[in-house]
Amino acid sequence: MRVGLIVDSACDLPHEFSKKNDVFILPVTATIDHHTYIDDHNPEQTREFYHNGLLQKGHHAETQAFTPAQIHDLFMEKIVTQYDFAICETVTRSRSLVYQNATEAMNSVMVHYHTAREAAGVQGNFTMRVVDSKQLFAGQGLLAAHTLTLLDKKLSKNALRHEIETFTDKIYTCVIPRDLHYIRERARMRGDKSVSALVAFLGKALNITPVLFGRGADAKPVAKTRSFELAVEKVMNYAIGRIEAGLLTPYVCLSCGLSWQEIDTLPGLDRLRETCDQHGVELLLSQMGITSSIYIGQGSLCLALGAEPHTFSDFQ
């Protein structure tokens, strides 16, 4: 049975990792200064966006999920004839229409897939599942990496879905937003009240850089620092301590809304790399994608790992 994994553009993973493992990217439409782009994680396009400053504050930017009809056509063309079973893991449904639209598209595909497979000379039935990752950015990337390890176990479809959905509640993320006001304005555009005006005001008035921490998309402030560098040190210390205590999957995902030159000089990154090597953990380091950067703002950072229940302060 040929099994395919689909993620959307909010999922941050290294391009090489996605390509090596045949992870299919469900695009998201990005509109910047009234120009429309299709974010399909093309690394050259992403680098160009960073180089030209299109993801910086001051540009009007928003994202929009593909419609059910667009997703249906994409699945029929790219997925139905290539796989016998497909899993589509979407950004948390509480922050995006991708899950809803992908589910609607899946239902339509299940009615019409026979025609496409017969035309391509592919025998047998096709099935697929849409899963709400309950994650954003690196958290979604971690779930995808873990899913690939589960695929190697040749589990039944129901067992595989159960394992994936169970693991979503064991993913912890750290987010360092570079500009709380940017996040607040983006949230207001979506009707999301998760970032309060008070927190945004304090961040600007006192020059505070917070660390947000939690399971999935439910991250809350756990530390306030006077600089981005100090916040990064705290996150690196947390990740190193948690790796040494043990993880539930041998991956740590780290995505950064920075140039690669800036990423290479992040404080504590070398220590994190060394700790990963010592404990047989693969560090999935990537430049934050266009969709993620529009959502949280250029210059931000997101780290995700899978572990038993704990607090951020346990590893400070």
Side-chain angles (χ1 to χ4, degrees), residues 7-8 10-13 89-92 132-147 164 167-175 214-218 249 251-256 284 286 288 292 301-306:
V7 299
D8 59 61
C11 175
D12 283 336
L13 277 172
E89 296 176 349
T90 73
V91 62
T92 178
D132 175 8
S133 74
K134 303 179 185 177
Q135 310 297 321
L136 297 165
F137 323 135
Q140 195 179 350
L142 185 76
L143 180 63
H146 182 68
T147 298
I164 292 171
F167 189 73
T168 61
D169 294 323
K170 299 177 180 178
I171 297 175
Y172 289 81
T173 59
C174 295
V175 177
R215 285 193 292 184
D218 297 324
T249 195
Y251 297 103
V252 169
C253 275
L254 176 60
S255 64
C256 310
L284 299 174
S286 65
M288 194 171 279
S292 302
L301 179 147
C302 183
L303 179 141
L305 51 79

Side-chain angles (χ1 to χ4, degrees), residues 176 178 209 225-232 258 266 299-301:
I176 304 176
R178 205 60 173 267
T209 300
T225 65
R226 293 291 183 178
S227 71
F228 177 73
E229 289 73 22
L230 289 175
V232 172
L258 304 164
L266 284 173
S300 302
L301 179 147

Side-chain angles (χ1 to χ4, degrees), residues 300-316:
S300 302
L301 179 147
C302 183
L303 179 141
L305 51 79
E308 297 292 352
H310 64 280
T311 67
F312 185 79
S313 61
D314 290 339
F315 301 98
Q316 292 301 302

Side-chain angles (χ1 to χ4, degrees), residues 71-222:
I71 298 175
H72 169 272
D73 292 345
L74 199 59
F75 284 172
M76 291 289 284
E77 179 184 356
K78 302 291 186 179
I79 302 299
V80 163
T81 59
Q82 298 299 314
Y83 303 103
D84 303 311
F85 176 53
I87 303 167
C88 178
E89 296 176 349
T90 73
V91 62
T92 178
R93 69 171 117 180
S94 65
R95 306 288 178 88
S96 171
L97 289 176
V98 175
Y99 174 84
Q100 177 181 321
N101 292 358
T103 299
E104 187 175 332
M106 175 192 70
N107 293 333
S108 177
V109 166
M110 295 308 298
V111 174
H112 299 98
Y113 78 81
H114 298 91
T115 302
R117 285 175 73 90
E118 288 176 2
V122 180
Q123 299 181 343
N125 295 326
F126 171 83
T127 57
M128 72 179 301
R129 297 287 185 272
V130 178
V131 177
D132 175 8
S133 74
K134 303 179 185 177
Q135 310 297 321
L136 297 165
F137 323 135
Q140 195 179 350
L142 185 76
L143 180 63
H146 182 68
T147 298
L148 292 171
T149 67
L150 293 174
L151 293 180
D152 290 338
K153 296 182 179 181
K154 309 298 182 182
L155 301 173
S156 69
K157 296 176 186 177
N158 288 335
L160 178 61
R161 181 170 185 173
H162 173 74
E163 290 291 331
I164 292 171
E165 293 180 340
T166 298
F167 189 73
T168 61
D169 294 323
K170 299 177 180 178
I171 297 175
Y172 289 81
T173 59
C174 295
V175 177
I176 304 176
R178 205 60 173 267
D179 188 332
L180 285 173
H181 279 268
Y182 177 92
I183 295 178
R184 180 169 64 101
E185 290 305 312
R186 287 285 303 140
R188 287 177 61 184
M189 291 173 62
R190 300 188 304 271
D192 180 358
K193 300 180 181 179
S194 60
V195 180
S196 71
L198 177 61
V199 171
F201 171 76
L202 289 175
K204 180 178 182 180
L206 303 179
N207 195 29
I208 287 174
T209 300
V211 176
L212 310 181
F213 171 79
R215 285 193 292 184
D218 297 324
K220 293 179 173 57
V222 292

Side-chain angles (χ1 to χ4, degrees), residues 32-33 52-62 182:
I32 302 176
D33 296 337
N52 293 334
L54 291 177
L55 299 174
Q56 292 178 354
K57 185 177 179 180
H59 293 277
H60 178 80
E62 58 184 359
Y182 177 92

